Amino acid sequence: MNPKSNPDTIFSAPIDKIGDFTFDERVAEVFPDMIQRSVPGYSNIISAIGMLAKRFVQPHSKIYDLGCSLGAATLSMRRHINQEGCQIIAVDNSSAMVERCKLHINAYRSNTPVEIVEADIRDIDIDDASIVVLNFTLQFLSSQDRYSLLEKIYHGLRPGGILIISEKFIFEDTVANELLVDLHHDFKRANGYSELEISQKRNAIENVMCPDSKKTHKERFAQIGFSSFDVWFQCFNFGSMFAIK
Ligand SMILES: C[S@@+](CC[C@H](N)C(=O)[O-])C[C@H]1O[C@@H](n2cnc3c(N)ncnc32)[C@H](O)[C@@H]1O
């Protein structure tokens, strides 16, 4: 379930000097529309996160939603969790996102409490977790920080616990990469974004978001010690993976 959103027109007019993309008030205000029209398969992924949560949640455990934005993954998991004594901890370092997230989460009643924390996910403790979600968040960290965060998650997971992680991918095969990037741009065009919006957004985001290949992700999961991992969803150059401890 996605909160109602204003239409995303952030990059619709020409911008003189395009700064780095940030998750500020303007973005938070249009975020549901932006992510729906920009990330192929987003709604399917959100629904499936709920299904995976139902399967992997353990009684009296913690569930983390890291880089929660407006709490879409948290809401999806909370609807499916039916184990006793669980708590969801939703974390984001954007105050604009956190404020709006609180409104969305508190609009629904549930037996599973949600704590919404404004913090950097690199600084928080993770412990006694059965589920950790990184839905399109890891890609905003440096490669060094990606490794340490995934290690911290691994150590904070209970045996049998799951990390669900969605990312934009790059592909080593340059022909495949070009095709999948093009198809993503077609997807954005089909959702009403203009050429100007597509190119200005790309310029704004290219310094702050650096995608990894599926091979890099899998090698890192193996190195850290996850016992089982794979891609469970892919649409163009976006996908979602699980890694089980
Ligand atoms: C693409 S959005 C994630 C979408 C969200 N998970 C969902 O499913 O709708 C990335 C989010 O990660 C947050 N973020 C990026 N780096 C972060 C960090 N170091 N600590 C905490 N949050 C971070 C941003 O503020 C933003 O809200």
Side-chain angles (χ1 to χ4, degrees):
M1 194 182 321
N2 243 324
K4 288 268 175 295
S5 170
N6 295 327
D8 170 22
T9 55
I10 290 178
F11 295 99
S12 59
I15 302 169
D16 270 353
K17 196 170 175 292
I18 298 176
D20 284 347
F21 184 86
T22 54
F23 291 94
D24 57 13
E25 183 58 41
R26 283 180 72 210
V27 169
E29 200 180 299
V30 301
F31 189 71
D33 183 61
M34 173 185 279
I35 197 148
Q36 197 72 243
R37 289 164 65 211
S38 308
V39 174
Y42 176 75
S43 303
N44 292 329
I45 292 171
I46 290 292
S47 303
I49 287 174
M51 289 157 60
L52 284 164
K54 183 175 184 175
R55 195 175 272 263
F56 280 87
V57 68
Q58 298 179 23
H60 303 283
S61 67
K62 294 182 192 165
I63 295 120
Y64 291 84
D65 181 5
L66 304 180
C68 60
S69 295
L70 303 183
T74 289
L75 281 173
S76 179
M77 290 194 285
R78 195 172 67 166
R79 276 199 306 278
H80 286 84
I81 287 170
N82 53 9
Q83 293 283 1
E84 284 210 350
C86 293
Q87 184 199 10
I88 304 181
I89 298 135
V91 185
D92 205 291
N93 65 352
S94 154
S95 53
M97 288 293 189
V98 165
E99 286 317 306
R100 280 165 189 271
C101 183
K102 285 181 181 163
L103 296 175
H104 293 138
I105 301 292
N106 293 334
Y108 300 94
R109 235 192 300 246
S110 163
N111 292 332
T112 306
V114 178
E115 187 188 352
I116 303 160
V117 183
E118 184 179 333
D120 194 305
I121 54 177
R122 292 168 296 188
D123 299 335
I124 61 154
D125 289 334
I126 295 183
D127 69 283
D128 207 20
S130 57
I131 303 164
V132 178
V133 170
L134 275 168
N135 202 34
F136 301 107
T137 304
L138 191 77
Q139 57 200 11
F140 292 101
L141 302 189
S142 70
S143 120
Q144 179 60 50
D145 287 347
R146 288 175 200 192
Y147 195 93
S148 2
L149 177 64
L150 292 173
E151 251 189 332
K152 176 168 78 175
I153 290 170
Y154 178 82
H155 290 299
L157 275 170
R158 289 183 181 177
I162 189 171
L163 165 66
I164 307 164
I165 169 170
S166 312
E167 290 272 289
K168 187 175 186 176
F169 296 132
I170 50 158
F171 300 85
E172 279 128 16
D173 179 323
T174 50
V175 173
N177 197 59
E178 247 174 63
L179 172 62
L180 294 167
V181 169
D182 265 6
L183 286 168
H184 175 228
H185 290 161
D186 284 346
F187 171 85
K188 294 187 79 168
R189 284 180 196 108
N191 283 329
Y193 283 118
S194 66
E195 297 308 317
L196 180 70
E197 285 176 295
I198 293 171
S199 78
Q200 291 195 138
K201 169 88 178 277
R202 191 172 45 186
N203 290 343
I205 213 153
E206 71 188 0
N207 288 332
V208 292
M209 197 187 101
C210 181
D212 282 326
S213 66
K214 287 186 280 185
K215 183 164 170 264
T216 300
H217 282 292
K218 286 182 175 179
E219 282 171 1
R220 202 164 37 204
F221 293 145
Q223 223 174 333
I224 289 170
F226 284 99
S227 66
S228 187
F229 44 83
D230 216 325
V231 175
W232 63 267
F233 178 88
Q234 189 181 327
C235 184
F236 309 138
N237 48 346
F238 288 76
S240 192
M241 300 162 284
F242 64 80
I244 298 168
K245 179 167 176 177

